[in-house]
Structure formats: C-alpha cells, structure tokens
Amino acid sequence: MKLLVTAAVFGLLAAPAFAEGDPAKGEKGFNKCKSCHTVVSDSGDVIVKGGKTGPNLWGLAGRTAGSVEGFNYSDDLVAAGEAGLVWDEEKFVSFTTDPKKFLQAETGNAKAKSKMSFRLKKGGEDIFAFLAGHGPAPAEDAATGDAAEAASE
C-alpha cells in the first residue's frame, strides 16, 4: 500500500502544471502585450505579430526566465532565471501584475528591477493559457508520436 501511495504522490509531482485560464480569452487579452511582444515559432511561423521591445513569448510556459537568446534582459531577471525561476502560471501572473515587486520578492533584492514597466490588472491566467499552447511539443509527446508513426509504417 505504501508503494502505491508513494507512486501516486511522485506521479502527481511529475505531472506538468496545466494552465487554469481560458486560451481564447488569453488570445484576445494578448492584444495588450503585442505592442512589445511577439509570438513566433522556432521555425518562423508568426502566431502573433508584435513589437520587439520585449522578448518573443513562443515557448514561454516551462522556460527558464531571462533565457531567450539575443534578448537583453535586466540583470535581475537573468539572475532569477539562473537561480531556477521557470515560468509557470503562478509566476507569470505574479510577474505581469507587478514585475518590479515580483523580482524583488523572487531575488530577495529590494533594489531588483525589471525592464518591463507594464502591469497587467487582470487576465494573466488566460494569457498564460494562450501562451502555453504556443511552444515546442514536449519531448515525451514527440517521442510517442515518432514511435506511433514508426509502428504504423
């Protein structure tokens, strides 16, 4: 019985966190973000054409903070990412609500700053759900798809 409970607990911990928001509402809400951010796949497919003041948000869900190559993040956001900050719904919503306050709490540095000055009043869960649907396929899904394809040949 203990083995079953232990396996169940580890299974729940290993499961990816799914976004609680509404992706359709998030797509509409992303209009507030696209003046600074774009969503463009690794292969160049444009999901949302936007500005380049902020980083490309393709693959944001599950990504280490401050890690898009070629984008000049604040030192504090990079430090938070190097310390283990990974974007999930809770972190994203907190950051977009008040980026400076979030980084100060996350880094423990009362002087921490973000280059993002915009504050999202509501709808962060929905925007995260929208963004969570736009990223590379998880490795295990790709492997499962490859195995299924090979088996059907």
Side-chain angles (χ1 to χ4, degrees):
M1 181 70 176
K2 285 183 182 180
L3 181 60
L4 182 60
V5 171
T6 302
V9 168
F10 281 114
L12 289 173
L13 292 175
F18 293 101
E20 297 287 326
D22 180 337
K25 287 181 182 176
E27 183 174 13
K28 184 178 179 183
F30 192 79
N31 285 331
K32 299 172 190 167
C33 310
K34 71 181 187 178
S35 62
C36 296
H37 297 279
T38 188
V39 181
V40 178
S41 74
D42 294 336
S43 63
D45 295 328
V46 177
I47 308 335
V48 178
K49 184 178 180 180
K52 296 185 187 220
T53 304
N56 179 6
L57 297 182
W58 167 263
L60 174 86
R63 181 170 71 205
T64 299
S67 66
V68 171
E69 272 188 54
F71 188 78
N72 186 19
Y73 292 96
S74 72
D75 292 341
D76 297 311
L77 187 59
V78 171
E82 289 172 348
L85 174 60
V86 173
W87 295 119
D88 61 17
E89 181 178 306
E90 178 185 358
K91 299 287 186 184
F92 177 82
V93 170
S94 184
F95 177 76
T96 57
T97 300
D98 190 338
K100 182 178 176 180
K101 184 177 175 183
F102 171 82
L103 278 178
Q104 289 172 348
E106 196 68 27
T107 63
N109 176 0
K111 294 183 180 184
K113 292 186 269 182
S114 170
K115 290 185 176 185
M116 185 168 129
S117 59
F118 179 78
R119 293 181 183 189
L120 188 62
K121 293 179 183 172
K122 62 181 181 172
E125 296 87 357
D126 297 331
I127 293 171
F128 185 82
F130 167 69
L131 292 171
H134 296 290
E140 60 191 53
D141 288 350
T144 302
D146 291 345
E149 186 177 311
S152 68
E153 291 178 1

